[in-house]
mmCIF file of all heavy atoms in Angstrom:
data_model
loop_
_atom_site.group_PDB
_atom_site.id
_atom_site.type_symbol
_atom_site.label_atom_id
_atom_site.label_comp_id
_atom_site.label_asym_id
_atom_site.label_seq_id
_atom_site.Cartn_x
_atom_site.Cartn_y
_atom_site.Cartn_z
ATOM 1 N N HIS A 124 -17.126 4.336 8.689
ATOM 2 C CA HIS A 124 -17.189 5.806 8.943
ATOM 3 C C HIS A 124 -18.615 6.176 9.433
ATOM 4 O O HIS A 124 -19.557 5.416 9.265
ATOM 5 C CB HIS A 124 -16.847 6.634 7.671
ATOM 6 C CG HIS A 124 -17.645 6.228 6.428
ATOM 7 N ND1 HIS A 124 -18.835 6.767 6.162
ATOM 8 C CD2 HIS A 124 -17.334 5.375 5.461
ATOM 9 C CE1 HIS A 124 -19.313 6.201 5.030
ATOM 10 N NE2 HIS A 124 -18.397 5.366 4.578
ATOM 11 N N ARG A 134 -21.122 15.824 8.222
ATOM 12 C CA ARG A 134 -20.091 15.387 7.271
ATOM 13 C C ARG A 134 -19.613 13.996 7.664
ATOM 14 O O ARG A 134 -19.592 13.654 8.875
ATOM 15 C CB ARG A 134 -18.881 16.295 7.290
ATOM 16 C CG ARG A 134 -19.138 17.706 6.942
ATOM 17 C CD ARG A 134 -19.299 17.915 5.398
ATOM 18 N NE ARG A 134 -19.417 19.308 5.082
ATOM 19 C CZ ARG A 134 -20.510 20.029 5.054
ATOM 20 N NH1 ARG A 134 -21.658 19.463 5.369
ATOM 21 N NH2 ARG A 134 -20.508 21.259 4.733
ATOM 22 N N PRO A 135 -19.241 13.143 6.666
ATOM 23 C CA PRO A 135 -18.768 11.818 7.034
ATOM 24 C C PRO A 135 -17.246 11.869 7.476
ATOM 25 O O PRO A 135 -16.473 12.547 6.878
ATOM 26 C CB PRO A 135 -18.836 11.042 5.668
ATOM 27 C CG PRO A 135 -18.749 12.145 4.619
ATOM 28 C CD PRO A 135 -19.295 13.394 5.232
ATOM 29 N N TYR A 136 -16.976 11.144 8.553
ATOM 30 C CA TYR A 136 -15.618 10.980 9.004
ATOM 31 C C TYR A 136 -15.339 9.529 9.388
ATOM 32 O O TYR A 136 -16.240 8.876 9.927
ATOM 33 C CB TYR A 136 -15.363 11.881 10.204
ATOM 34 C CG TYR A 136 -15.168 13.354 9.738
ATOM 35 C CD1 TYR A 136 -16.242 14.224 9.790
ATOM 36 C CD2 TYR A 136 -13.964 13.759 9.168
ATOM 37 C CE1 TYR A 136 -16.104 15.547 9.286
ATOM 38 C CE2 TYR A 136 -13.844 15.042 8.681
ATOM 39 C CZ TYR A 136 -14.901 15.934 8.763
ATOM 40 O OH TYR A 136 -14.735 17.168 8.219
ATOM 41 N N SER A 137 -14.148 9.071 9.140
ATOM 42 C CA SER A 137 -13.796 7.689 9.358
ATOM 43 C C SER A 137 -13.321 7.445 10.773
ATOM 44 O O SER A 137 -12.716 8.301 11.388
ATOM 45 C CB SER A 137 -12.605 7.266 8.420
ATOM 46 O OG SER A 137 -12.981 7.571 7.099
ATOM 47 N N HIS A 151 -9.853 11.655 12.864
ATOM 48 C CA HIS A 151 -8.802 12.560 12.446
ATOM 49 C C HIS A 151 -9.370 13.518 11.419
ATOM 50 O O HIS A 151 -9.659 13.142 10.304
ATOM 51 C CB HIS A 151 -7.597 11.794 11.878
ATOM 52 C CG HIS A 151 -7.103 10.804 12.852
ATOM 53 N ND1 HIS A 151 -6.365 9.628 12.520
ATOM 54 C CD2 HIS A 151 -7.147 10.702 14.249
ATOM 55 C CE1 HIS A 151 -6.020 8.940 13.550
ATOM 56 N NE2 HIS A 151 -6.495 9.563 14.601
ATOM 57 N N ILE A 152 -9.555 14.762 11.862
ATOM 58 C CA ILE A 152 -10.236 15.760 11.018
ATOM 59 C C ILE A 152 -9.190 16.633 10.316
ATOM 60 O O ILE A 152 -8.428 17.337 11.009
ATOM 61 C CB ILE A 152 -11.131 16.647 11.850
ATOM 62 C CG1 ILE A 152 -11.955 15.847 12.904
ATOM 63 C CG2 ILE A 152 -11.991 17.539 11.008
ATOM 64 C CD1 ILE A 152 -13.121 15.143 12.395
ATOM 65 N N ASP A 153 -9.229 16.650 8.985
ATOM 66 C CA ASP A 153 -8.351 17.552 8.239
ATOM 67 C C ASP A 153 -8.916 18.959 8.310
ATOM 68 O O ASP A 153 -10.011 19.202 7.735
ATOM 69 C CB ASP A 153 -8.240 17.047 6.802
ATOM 70 C CG ASP A 153 -7.204 17.839 5.983
ATOM 71 O OD1 ASP A 153 -6.803 18.941 6.457
ATOM 72 O OD2 ASP A 153 -6.850 17.407 4.882
ATOM 73 N N HIS A 156 -8.273 23.235 5.392
ATOM 74 C CA HIS A 156 -9.023 23.996 4.384
ATOM 75 C C HIS A 156 -10.158 24.709 5.140
ATOM 76 O O HIS A 156 -10.504 24.324 6.255
ATOM 77 C CB HIS A 156 -9.638 23.066 3.314
ATOM 78 C CG HIS A 156 -10.603 22.076 3.937
ATOM 79 N ND1 HIS A 156 -10.166 20.922 4.600
ATOM 80 C CD2 HIS A 156 -11.972 22.101 4.057
ATOM 81 C CE1 HIS A 156 -11.220 20.281 5.041
ATOM 82 N NE2 HIS A 156 -12.289 20.959 4.770
ATOM 83 N N ALA A 157 -10.712 25.740 4.475
ATOM 84 C CA ALA A 157 -11.913 26.342 5.091
ATOM 85 C C ALA A 157 -13.151 25.542 4.725
ATOM 86 O O ALA A 157 -13.334 25.206 3.529
ATOM 87 C CB ALA A 157 -12.084 27.773 4.541
ATOM 88 N N GLY A 158 -13.873 25.094 5.691
ATOM 89 C CA GLY A 158 -15.045 24.248 5.422
ATOM 90 C C GLY A 158 -15.960 24.316 6.655
ATOM 91 O O GLY A 158 -15.466 24.600 7.760
ATOM 92 N N ALA A 159 -17.225 24.113 6.458
ATOM 93 C CA ALA A 159 -18.181 24.309 7.592
ATOM 94 C C ALA A 159 -17.782 23.406 8.788
ATOM 95 O O ALA A 159 -17.771 23.870 9.919
ATOM 96 C CB ALA A 159 -19.585 23.977 7.101
ATOM 97 N N PHE A 160 -17.502 22.124 8.527
ATOM 98 C CA PHE A 160 -17.208 21.235 9.665
ATOM 99 C C PHE A 160 -15.818 21.527 10.211
ATOM 100 O O PHE A 160 -15.609 21.595 11.412
ATOM 101 C CB PHE A 160 -17.351 19.790 9.255
ATOM 102 C CG PHE A 160 -17.448 18.907 10.495
ATOM 103 C CD1 PHE A 160 -18.674 18.579 11.024
ATOM 104 C CD2 PHE A 160 -16.316 18.473 11.166
ATOM 105 C CE1 PHE A 160 -18.772 17.798 12.194
ATOM 106 C CE2 PHE A 160 -16.386 17.678 12.318
ATOM 107 C CZ PHE A 160 -17.664 17.344 12.828
ATOM 108 N N ALA A 161 -14.842 21.692 9.299
ATOM 109 C CA ALA A 161 -13.450 21.912 9.729
ATOM 110 C C ALA A 161 -13.429 23.200 10.576
ATOM 111 O O ALA A 161 -12.754 23.222 11.634
ATOM 112 C CB ALA A 161 -12.552 22.097 8.512
ATOM 113 N N THR A 201 -5.505 12.399 5.813
ATOM 114 C CA THR A 201 -6.292 11.733 6.890
ATOM 115 C C THR A 201 -6.959 10.464 6.412
ATOM 116 O O THR A 201 -7.641 9.813 7.261
ATOM 117 C CB THR A 201 -7.351 12.718 7.424
ATOM 118 O OG1 THR A 201 -8.000 13.328 6.333
ATOM 119 C CG2 THR A 201 -6.788 13.748 8.370
ATOM 120 N N HIS A 281 -8.199 11.234 -0.524
ATOM 121 C CA HIS A 281 -8.967 11.956 -1.520
ATOM 122 C C HIS A 281 -8.842 11.223 -2.891
ATOM 123 O O HIS A 281 -7.872 10.560 -3.167
ATOM 124 C CB HIS A 281 -8.594 13.401 -1.594
ATOM 125 C CG HIS A 281 -9.425 14.188 -0.583
ATOM 126 N ND1 HIS A 281 -10.692 14.659 -0.916
ATOM 127 C CD2 HIS A 281 -9.231 14.479 0.684
ATOM 128 C CE1 HIS A 281 -11.216 15.202 0.172
ATOM 129 N NE2 HIS A 281 -10.374 15.163 1.129
ATOM 130 N N ALA A 306 -12.992 6.435 -0.899
ATOM 131 C CA ALA A 306 -12.529 7.772 -1.379
ATOM 132 C C ALA A 306 -13.183 8.819 -0.526
ATOM 133 O O ALA A 306 -14.383 8.806 -0.222
ATOM 134 C CB ALA A 306 -12.946 7.947 -2.803
ATOM 135 N N PHE A 307 -12.385 9.810 -0.095
ATOM 136 C CA PHE A 307 -12.910 10.940 0.666
ATOM 137 C C PHE A 307 -13.386 11.958 -0.331
ATOM 138 O O PHE A 307 -12.678 12.895 -0.720
ATOM 139 C CB PHE A 307 -11.792 11.602 1.490
ATOM 140 C CG PHE A 307 -11.390 10.815 2.743
ATOM 141 C CD1 PHE A 307 -11.961 9.626 3.019
ATOM 142 C CD2 PHE A 307 -10.495 11.341 3.634
ATOM 143 C CE1 PHE A 307 -11.631 8.862 4.183
ATOM 144 C CE2 PHE A 307 -10.148 10.677 4.805
ATOM 145 C CZ PHE A 307 -10.653 9.421 5.058
ATOM 146 N N VAL A 308 -14.626 11.818 -0.764
ATOM 147 C CA VAL A 308 -15.232 12.777 -1.712
ATOM 148 C C VAL A 308 -15.738 13.947 -0.878
ATOM 149 O O VAL A 308 -16.364 13.768 0.145
ATOM 150 C CB VAL A 308 -16.386 12.106 -2.461
ATOM 151 C CG1 VAL A 308 -16.904 13.078 -3.541
ATOM 152 C CG2 VAL A 308 -15.948 10.834 -3.045
ATOM 153 N N SER A 309 -15.410 15.171 -1.321
ATOM 154 C CA SER A 309 -15.909 16.395 -0.614
ATOM 155 C C SER A 309 -17.047 16.933 -1.292
ATOM 156 O O SER A 309 -17.263 16.745 -2.499
ATOM 157 C CB SER A 309 -14.789 17.413 -0.513
ATOM 158 O OG SER A 309 -13.752 16.935 0.227
ATOM 159 N N ARG A 310 -17.829 17.706 -0.558
ATOM 160 C CA ARG A 310 -18.977 18.426 -1.056
ATOM 161 C C ARG A 310 -18.545 19.334 -2.236
ATOM 162 O O ARG A 310 -17.433 19.859 -2.248
ATOM 163 C CB ARG A 310 -19.394 19.365 0.084
ATOM 164 C CG ARG A 310 -20.730 19.928 -0.009
ATOM 165 C CD ARG A 310 -20.884 20.652 1.329
ATOM 166 N NE ARG A 310 -21.843 21.680 1.263
ATOM 167 C CZ ARG A 310 -23.064 21.541 1.771
ATOM 168 N NH1 ARG A 310 -23.425 20.504 2.445
ATOM 169 N NH2 ARG A 310 -23.901 22.569 1.700
HETATM 170 C C1 FAD B 1 -16.746 8.083 3.508
HETATM 171 C C2 FAD B 1 -15.945 9.321 3.832
HETATM 172 C C3 FAD B 1 -15.068 9.333 4.917
HETATM 173 C C4 FAD B 1 -14.318 10.475 5.243
HETATM 174 N N1 FAD B 1 -13.497 10.446 6.270
HETATM 175 C C5 FAD B 1 -12.692 11.555 6.554
HETATM 176 C C6 FAD B 1 -11.772 11.541 7.656
HETATM 177 O O1 FAD B 1 -11.603 10.584 8.411
HETATM 178 N N2 FAD B 1 -11.020 12.658 7.842
HETATM 179 C C7 FAD B 1 -11.148 13.755 7.089
HETATM 180 O O2 FAD B 1 -10.448 14.775 7.306
HETATM 181 N N3 FAD B 1 -11.997 13.798 6.060
HETATM 182 C C8 FAD B 1 -12.831 12.707 5.768
HETATM 183 N N4 FAD B 1 -13.672 12.742 4.743
HETATM 184 C C9 FAD B 1 -13.779 13.993 3.941
HETATM 185 C C10 FAD B 1 -14.710 14.970 4.598
HETATM 186 O O3 FAD B 1 -15.942 14.465 4.898
HETATM 187 C C11 FAD B 1 -14.837 16.130 3.583
HETATM 188 O O4 FAD B 1 -13.597 16.658 3.220
HETATM 189 C C12 FAD B 1 -15.835 17.195 4.022
HETATM 190 O O5 FAD B 1 -16.268 17.896 2.887
HETATM 191 C C13 FAD B 1 -15.191 18.176 4.960
HETATM 192 O O6 FAD B 1 -16.208 19.057 5.452
HETATM 193 P P1 FAD B 1 -16.007 20.613 5.649
HETATM 194 O O7 FAD B 1 -17.370 21.036 6.171
HETATM 195 O O8 FAD B 1 -14.804 20.843 6.441
HETATM 196 O O9 FAD B 1 -15.810 21.182 4.210
HETATM 197 P P2 FAD B 1 -16.983 21.516 3.158
HETATM 198 O O10 FAD B 1 -17.804 22.664 3.668
HETATM 199 O O11 FAD B 1 -17.682 20.228 2.876
HETATM 200 O O12 FAD B 1 -16.183 21.918 1.888
HETATM 201 C C14 FAD B 1 -15.754 23.260 1.707
HETATM 202 C C15 FAD B 1 -14.785 23.364 0.520
HETATM 203 O O13 FAD B 1 -13.583 22.702 0.974
HETATM 204 C C16 FAD B 1 -13.220 21.669 0.086
HETATM 205 N N5 FAD B 1 -12.595 20.624 0.904
HETATM 206 C C17 FAD B 1 -13.314 19.809 1.777
HETATM 207 N N6 FAD B 1 -12.446 18.994 2.396
HETATM 208 C C18 FAD B 1 -11.199 19.305 1.871
HETATM 209 C C19 FAD B 1 -9.929 18.781 2.132
HETATM 210 N N7 FAD B 1 -9.662 17.793 3.009
HETATM 211 N N8 FAD B 1 -8.885 19.327 1.449
HETATM 212 C C20 FAD B 1 -9.064 20.271 0.539
HETATM 213 N N9 FAD B 1 -10.260 20.845 0.274
HETATM 214 C C21 FAD B 1 -11.335 20.304 0.949
HETATM 215 C C22 FAD B 1 -14.516 21.267 -0.605
HETATM 216 O O14 FAD B 1 -14.300 20.676 -1.894
HETATM 217 C C23 FAD B 1 -15.256 22.602 -0.711
HETATM 218 O O15 FAD B 1 -14.859 23.280 -1.819
HETATM 219 C C24 FAD B 1 -14.450 11.616 4.440
HETATM 220 C C25 FAD B 1 -15.330 11.598 3.320
HETATM 221 C C26 FAD B 1 -16.034 10.465 3.033
HETATM 222 C C27 FAD B 1 -16.976 10.475 1.830
#
Side-chain angles (χ1 to χ4, degrees):
H124 54 86
R134 298 284 186 272
Y136 285 98
S137 304
H151 302 157
I152 315 281
D153 186 346
H156 61 279
F160 196 93
T201 43
H281 273 275
F307 285 4
V308 186
S309 295
R310 196 175 158 106

